[in-house]
Amino acid sequence: MCIRDSLLTSHPRTTCTDPIAICGMPCDKLLPCGKHKCSNTCHVGACPPCSFPTEQSCRCGNTKRKVDCCLVTYAPKLLRRFGLEPAEFLCKKRCESFKKCNKHKCGRICCDVGRKYGGRAQDDPEGHHLCHLVCDKPLGCGKHQCPDFCHLGFCKPCAVVSSRLLLCACGKSVKQPPVACGESLPYCSRPCSKLLPCGHKCASNCHPGECPPCIELVEKKCRCGKELIKNVQCFKTNLSCGNKCNKELKCGHVCSLVCHEPGKCLRENEANGSCGQRCGKPKQYCAHICQETCHPAKSCPTTPCTSTVTVYCACKHHKEVVQCGAFDKPVAYAVPCNRQCERARRKAELERPVNEFDYYPRSMLWLGHHDPGLVAKIESVLEDVVLDMNKLGVQLPNIDPDVKDIIIEWVQYNYYLDIIPCKKGKETYYEVYFNEKARLPKLKLSEAAKSYKKKSEMTGEPMYLSLIHISEPTRLGMISYAVFCLKKKKKKK
């Protein structure tokens, strides 16, 4: 029915049988879709379905197509009034998301779970991602399988309950029903007492299954049968006495295998009768033995001996390890003396009795105790100068000015060496030179300081000294400005 005012006034209806006026202009009514207007000419009755082309997405939202607007926006009841059926648009893409079990994939065509709920299986009220396969995993009881749908995490405990009595292995301890599946046997403290194959009784408490090995202490023979081993657990076999077989073989050697079963000695080679051990026969021209493999059918090879010998020089200070090399006659070895021998000879000549010249005043003993590292370095330098007869001069390590007079006296009196001060800029250092009177002390200062320390500990004599600068003539008639006086060291509280 046209509702325009101009038409109503120009063609008024007086009765209900009068024809409805039609203006001939576009209908222009808003269609049920709420988006478009009717494009037909003014008509009587309801407007036809909206046929404007509209974009429709598939269920999963990955594919789109063009269809009439009514098929997308109209309610199913309204569509059926016009003789139309709502058509669901499905693409051909298969869902690859995992179901709730996180093991099996969905596989549904054009799945909308991911579109609706962001792919979260827990927000799937319609249950499209619920796995309908049976879990069928073995339960903790070891007898039944899980009957639930495929799931995450551990399976539930077995729900099977038995109405029978649960007995221990010997049948004397009982657990009354109901008994859950997989429940352990009731505890029984009675001995098992089953007869074992060895003839002893099982000493364990009542238990299911096979009995453990017998641990009864018995006497058993070893593998070779020569020794009787006592206090051995019954289940142990293949015992060894630890002794070598020592049975004589055809080749002349004895079996070197340790305790073995009778008849299983070292096998001799059928071709040449060799047992595979070292020959061991003494060589003709040296004190070594043949190192070749057992050769009963042949004589020892006449090759140079490959064993090693230690050879000393005439003074016995130098040695060398050489190959024996004896072949068809004995070998004479000659090792010449070297620089080490010369040093040892000269050291023996220069050493003197301990108490003849090796007297150390208390000032030197204090130095040996106070700075043993410096004393050891200087002793090494002085010994090299004396033994090598070095006349070029050797520089001593850095010396503290407070102890320089002590060191000069030590070098000149105990070693008879020349010591000369030298200057390099503002620094002063000392060089030591060899002379014909040079000697080595039998007792070193470092050793004397240690002996003096032990003596002071035994007698209670104070070892700690303090340095005072005074003038006093020394034993060499020189003036020394470093003299040590006794002074007890104060202990910290």
Side-chain angles (χ1 to χ4, degrees), residues 15-37:
T15 63
C16 62
T17 57
D18 291 341
I20 298 174
I22 296 175
C23 65
M25 296 178 67
C27 176
D28 213 25
K29 288 181 182 177
L30 187 64
L31 297 175
C33 67
K35 299 178 182 179
H36 308 110
K37 294 181 179 181

Side-chain angles (χ1 to χ4, degrees), residues 288-324:
H288 302 115
I289 60 174
C290 178
Q291 302 291 333
E292 301 294 328
T293 306
C294 176
H295 47 85
K298 298 179 182 179
S299 59
C300 293
T302 55
T303 55
C305 180
T306 57
S307 300
T308 58
V309 293
T310 303
V311 185
Y312 291 87
C313 66
C315 65
K316 305 295 183 182
H317 287 100
H318 174 56
K319 66 178 180 179
E320 290 183 4
V321 179
V322 297
Q323 189 172 341
C324 175

Side-chain angles (χ1 to χ4, degrees), residues 159-402:
V160 179
V161 177
S162 174
S163 58
R164 296 182 178 181
L165 295 173
L166 186 62
L167 304 176
C168 68
C170 66
K172 296 180 180 178
S173 295
V174 182
K175 183 177 285 187
Q176 298 295 332
V179 178
C181 183
E183 191 166 347
S184 58
L185 297 177
Y187 173 74
C188 180
S189 59
R190 299 175 181 85
C192 174
S193 298
K194 291 180 183 177
L195 192 65
L196 300 176
C198 61
H200 300 118
K201 290 184 178 181
C202 178
S204 302
N205 288 346
C206 176
H207 60 86
E210 296 182 359
C211 293
C214 180
I215 57 173
E216 192 78 20
L217 296 179
V218 296
E219 294 181 351
K220 283 192 174 185
K221 285 190 175 182
C222 62
R223 285 194 294 260
C224 64
K226 297 177 182 178
E227 296 284 342
L228 187 64
I229 304 176
K230 298 181 180 181
N231 298 327
V232 180
Q233 292 177 333
C234 183
F235 74 93
K236 290 186 177 180
T237 57
N238 201 21
L239 302 174
S240 174
C241 62
N243 299 323
K244 286 188 177 182
C245 177
N246 290 330
K247 183 180 179 180
E248 187 173 355
L249 303 176
K250 293 180 181 179
C251 62
H253 292 111
V254 294
C255 178
S256 60
L257 296 179
V258 176
C259 185
H260 60 80
E261 296 178 5
K264 292 188 177 181
C265 291
L266 283 172
R267 293 185 179 182
E268 297 177 340
N269 192 310
E270 296 179 0
N272 55 17
S274 173
C275 65
Q277 300 182 88
R278 184 179 296 175
C279 174
K281 294 179 181 178
K283 286 184 172 289
Q284 184 177 359
Y285 296 105
C286 64
H288 302 115
I289 60 174
C290 178
Q291 302 291 333
E292 301 294 328
T293 306
C294 176
H295 47 85
K298 298 179 182 179
S299 59
C300 293
T302 55
T303 55
C305 180
T306 57
S307 300
T308 58
V309 293
T310 303
V311 185
Y312 291 87
C313 66
C315 65
K316 305 295 183 182
H317 287 100
H318 174 56
K319 66 178 180 179
E320 290 183 4
V321 179
V322 297
Q323 189 172 341
C324 175
F327 179 39
D328 55 353
K329 59 181 180 180
V331 179
Y333 307 99
V335 177
C337 291
N338 60 1
R339 184 169 175 270
Q340 182 181 355
C341 301
E342 180 63 23
R343 285 173 61 94
R345 183 190 62 78
R346 180 166 174 76
K347 185 176 181 180
E349 292 177 357
L350 296 176
E351 285 182 344
R352 303 173 306 218
V354 176
N355 295 323
E356 185 178 352
F357 298 103
D358 300 336
Y359 168 73
Y360 295 101
R362 297 174 69 87
S363 58
M364 290 186 188
L365 294 174
W366 177 89
L367 179 63
H369 171 74
H370 180 70
D371 198 347
L374 176 63
V375 169
K377 290 180 181 179
I378 296 177
E379 283 179 343
S380 177
V381 173
L382 297 178
E383 185 174 342
D384 289 340
V385 172
V386 174
L387 295 178
D388 297 338
M389 295 184 289
N390 190 349
K391 298 182 179 180
L392 298 178
V394 179
Q395 182 178 340
L396 292 179
N398 293 333
I399 299 174
D400 192 296
D402 292 336

Side-chain angles (χ1 to χ4, degrees), residues 446-461:
S446 55
E447 298 172 354
K450 291 179 182 178
S451 301
Y452 180 70
K453 181 182 178 182
K454 291 181 181 179
K455 180 181 176 182
S456 64
E457 290 175 353
M458 294 176 62
T459 59
E461 185 179 353

